Amino acid sequence: MAKVVHFEVHAGDPERAIRFYEAAFEWRFKKFPGPAEYWVIEAGPENEVGINGGLVPRRGEIDGSAVIAYVCTIQVPSVDEALARVLAAGGTLALPKMPIPGVGWLLYCKDSEGNVFGVMQPDPQAA
């Protein structure tokens, strides 16, 4: 069995993407040492379950009609509050809030770079 241990955000404008994720989810970014353009993402406290990631400049252009990638999901206390923060930070709603019975509430958004990501609120009563 293999487990996701890292994620990467590919960005047409890395500084804009950093501003987006700092504002929407309070992630911290640190430039990786060396000549390569790469930022390490601290996506939460080390004592909490989850993974950290990285941000890289997008190589090539996307056509805007589809994103071919793995979708990472971010756990939050409230999907409604998270959506408000995403929209205020310049993101958009890609798929509205839906229940995942016995698990929680899920919605999909696009970040400032057009990348799709999930937002999940745990709620065993969701139906």
Side-chain angles (χ1 to χ4, degrees), residues 8-71:
E8 281 188 340
V9 175
H10 292 240
D13 183 337
E15 295 300 326
R16 178 178 61 203
I18 288 169
R19 287 191 305 273
F20 172 82
Y21 283 101
E22 286 174 338
F25 297 108
E26 299 176 349
W27 289 358
R28 294 186 188 126
F29 291 78
K30 183 178 179 183
K31 178 79 168 61
F32 195 76
E37 286 189 278
Y38 194 89
W39 292 262
V40 175
I41 302 170
E42 181 186 336
E46 288 298 322
N47 63 342
E48 289 184 4
V49 174
I51 60 174
N52 292 319
L55 182 133
V56 298
R58 187 182 320 273
R59 290 166 178 84
E61 297 298 318
I62 58 172
D63 65 9
S65 63
V67 176
I68 300 171
Y70 288 101
V71 174

Side-chain angles (χ1 to χ4, degrees), residues 86-107:
V86 164
L87 297 175
T92 59
L93 179 65
L95 194 62
K97 180 170 99 172
M98 66 189 93
I100 307 298
V103 176
W105 298 94
L106 174 69
L107 57 82

